[in-house]
Amino acid sequence: MVALTHLDAAGHAAMVDVGDKAVTVRVAVAAGEVRMAPATLAVLRAGTAPKGDVLAAARIAGIMAAKRTPELIPLCHALLLTHVGVDFVLDEGESRVQIEATVRCKGQTGVRAGSRAAASAPEPAPNSQTSSACAAWSACATCTASARANHGDSSGAVTKSLPTAERGPGGQCPKGVSPRA
């Protein structure tokens, strides 16, 4: 059985001690998507939402989530991030917004949790900023946010492909949203 890293010898929650690890450049990329009604996507593309630029607000939400990851996810280390990027692709064919978040730091532990937070946080923005005429919003953050790459683990030079985020029974999103692979 694999030892759990966030439990001490007595089985209590504990933050991992990374004090002996070398400081290396750490980069993680996570992706997500938000599916919506075609009318909602049209509002996003046109920039005509009643409350302003939805994608700008979503980008700021993603950046702030990466910066605040230790407050959102228990036992995450506070890191001095050197870069957070959140990019969007509007896909009319699938009626979705694809999200890619890249987080970078120089540190003793990785930024995978921060990249997942940055890819997940933008997902509610269109719902809160588009009009009620576009209320056919559907998103499943637990199914759509997945880490895609992680560079700079303990060796400082390893690149990994990471698994898609946990899905419901049969690998499907419990809300019926098709996750990005």
Side-chain angles (χ1 to χ4, degrees), residues 151-164:
H151 309 278
D153 71 356
S154 59
S155 70
V158 175
T159 301
K160 304 177 192 177
S161 291
L162 300 170
T164 301

Side-chain angles (χ1 to χ4, degrees), residues 15-166:
M15 183 177 271
V16 174
D17 183 354
V18 296
D20 292 334
K21 293 174 104 177
V23 173
T24 60
V25 173
R26 313 292 184 128
V27 181
V29 180
E33 70 178 20
V34 179
R35 292 186 177 264
M36 62 196 69
T40 305
L41 191 62
V43 168
L44 295 183
R45 181 166 297 285
T48 58
K51 294 184 181 179
D53 187 345
V54 174
L55 296 179
R59 179 172 285 112
I60 292 168
I63 292 168
M64 293 305 299
K67 292 173 65 173
R68 310 283 304 251
T69 299
E71 296 172 32
L72 301 170
I73 301 173
L75 305 177
C76 281
H77 291 85
L79 301 172
L80 180 58
L81 303 180
T82 59
H83 171 77
V84 179
V86 180
D87 296 306
F88 304 103
V89 174
L90 279 60
D91 179 355
E92 279 87 6
E94 296 290 326
S95 193
R96 66 183 176 176
V97 177
Q98 295 173 294
I99 304 164
E100 183 172 280
T102 303
V103 179
R104 186 171 27 250
C105 80
K106 289 182 182 177
Q108 294 168 293
T109 188
V111 290
R112 186 174 66 197
S115 70
R116 285 185 175 202
S120 297
E123 292 177 359
N127 190 39
S128 67
Q129 289 196 279
T130 54
S131 68
S132 59
C134 300
W137 171 264
S138 175
C140 184
T142 59
C143 294
T144 62
S146 63
R148 293 182 29 204
N150 185 33
H151 309 278
D153 71 356
S154 59
S155 70
V158 175
T159 301
K160 304 177 192 177
S161 291
L162 300 170
T164 301
E166 188 173 321

